[in-house]
Amino acid sequence: MDIEDILTFVEVAEAEGVSAAARRLGVSKSIVSRRLLRLEEELGAQLLARTTRGAALTEAGAIFREHAGRIGAEIEAAKETLRPAGDLRGRLRVAMPLTFGPTHFAPVLADMARRHPQLHVHAAYSDRFVDLVAEGFDCAVRVGYLPDSELLARRVGPIYGTLVASPDYIKAHGAPRKPGEIAAHQALMQGTEAWQFMDGNEIVTIKPQGRFKADSAAALAAAAAAGLGIAWLPNCIVYDYVADGALVPIMTDHPPPSAGAYVVRPPGRHSERKVQVLADLMTDLFAKDPHFGAIDLAARQ
């Protein structure tokens, strides 16, 4: 079985079509088709169902795709071992959070691609927890509190949050001073989440209520600035609003507990060096970007 045929199949599966895969590989469509036909003959199974929109994996193709991906990873690992220094090569598939990922983390990936011209960076932005192994990701950047898992994690920075409201909202409705007073206010939420605040050394959990919900922290910040209610949001989202006076930190004697940002990867994967470089760049981002620092909340009240 020709390894080039296997890697070509992986490209076609990921690109969802022969034409797109041929462009990625820099070869003609006829070469890609011949490689696929040869691989299917060798396996005795149809791997792809050709459609008017491209190609879809058959059941056999989906099964073989998982094994083929691991073969490709092993080959990349072998190449990387032989060239431990210098430019990164191959592909890095990374899952990024949709919340402030495109705005704050995307420049890090662009910088990584600029520094390593032979590296292919494929980023997917979503707030869901992707299955890194099943979906073929090399790593993910996750924020908040990590659940126990077998993933290897490196903390790259802190995530601070605060409770905010607009000056108009505070003028009309006042502002909570203690966590127990939040029930009297309209809360802007992503769903049915709980909010946590520090009371001395204890963590107090509150279940807020409100009529405005959105699955985007940026949308909630805009709603808070419009005076619709109070919002518990990451500082990197509200930093510019607070600097402009559009939002005011409230209940600062009871700050939310700080969380973290992590680069996580499956154990045993062979993209360690690429993930390490990404983690280093993310660490630099958190160290230098004031949006990720702790806002001097008391000074802005």
Side-chain angles (χ1 to χ4, degrees):
M1 192 178 298
D2 192 314
I3 190 64
E4 201 68 44
D5 297 347
I6 296 174
L7 298 181
T8 297
F9 164 69
V10 173
E11 287 289 349
V12 174
E14 291 189 353
E16 298 183 347
V18 170
S19 298
R23 287 193 296 270
R24 287 187 185 184
L25 294 168
V27 299
S28 68
K29 289 172 55 179
S30 61
I31 290 176
V32 172
S33 296
R34 281 200 301 271
R35 290 175 181 174
L36 290 176
L37 180 60
R38 191 162 56 218
L39 183 62
E40 288 178 329
E41 290 176 348
E42 183 72 28
L43 292 170
Q46 183 180 355
L47 302 176
L48 294 163
R50 281 68 173 178
T51 68
T52 55
R53 300 179 61 183
L57 291 175
T58 63
E59 183 178 356
I63 295 172
F64 188 69
R65 164 66 183 85
E66 190 172 329
H67 296 281
R70 287 199 291 268
I71 292 170
E74 291 286 349
I75 292 172
E76 285 299 323
K79 291 179 180 178
E80 201 167 284
T81 301
L82 295 175
R83 52 170 188 268
D87 282 346
L88 299 176
R89 299 168 183 261
R91 179 168 52 235
L92 177 70
R93 293 196 70 216
V94 55
M96 287 278 187
L98 185 60
T99 300
F100 56 80
T103 53
H104 292 81
F105 295 163
V108 174
L109 295 179
D111 185 36
M112 189 173 180
R114 180 187 61 80
R115 296 187 188 196
H116 302 279
Q118 299 185 69
L119 178 67
H120 294 253
V121 178
H122 295 184
Y125 292 91
S126 173
D127 281 334
R128 71 182 181 88
F129 269 41
V130 300
D131 186 326
L132 299 187
V133 176
E135 298 182 48
F137 284 95
D138 297 298
C139 65
V141 176
R142 291 180 176 167
V143 298
Y145 308 97
L146 287 184
D148 292 334
S149 74
E150 295 182 355
L151 297 177
L152 303 178
R154 173 179 164 185
R155 192 175 190 271
V156 294
I159 296 291
Y160 298 105
T162 190
L163 194 66
V164 294
S166 71
D168 288 343
Y169 180 89
I170 295 172
K171 183 177 180 180
H173 305 284
R177 295 178 179 272
K178 298 180 180 179
E181 297 176 8
I182 289 177
H185 291 267
Q186 282 290 320
L188 310 176
M189 302 178 292
Q190 291 194 10
T192 58
E193 70 270 21
W195 289 355
Q196 292 186 328
F197 302 94
M198 299 303 299
D199 186 5
N201 293 324
E202 301 292 326
I203 295 179
V204 178
T205 300
I206 300 296
K207 296 287 287 185
Q209 299 295 323
R211 65 185 181 88
F212 188 93
K213 298 181 180 181
D215 62 357
S216 163
L220 294 177
L228 293 182
I230 62 176
W232 183 102
L233 292 167
N235 284 1
C236 59
I237 295 293
V238 302
Y239 183 95
D240 292 334
Y241 285 96
V242 172
D244 293 341
L247 289 175
V248 178
I250 57 177
M251 211 173 76
T252 56
D253 289 339
H254 299 276
S258 64
Y262 303 85
V263 174
V264 300
R265 67 176 182 85
R269 292 296 289 263
H270 298 290
S271 55
E272 283 188 55
R273 186 162 163 255
K274 297 169 193 171
V275 176
Q276 179 69 38
V277 170
L278 174 61
D280 289 343
L281 291 174
M282 292 293 298
T283 300
D284 289 343
L285 170 72
F286 277 89
K288 296 175 181 177
D289 190 337
H291 289 78
F292 290 102
I295 298 175
D296 187 358
L297 301 176
R300 295 177 181 271
Q301 285 184 292

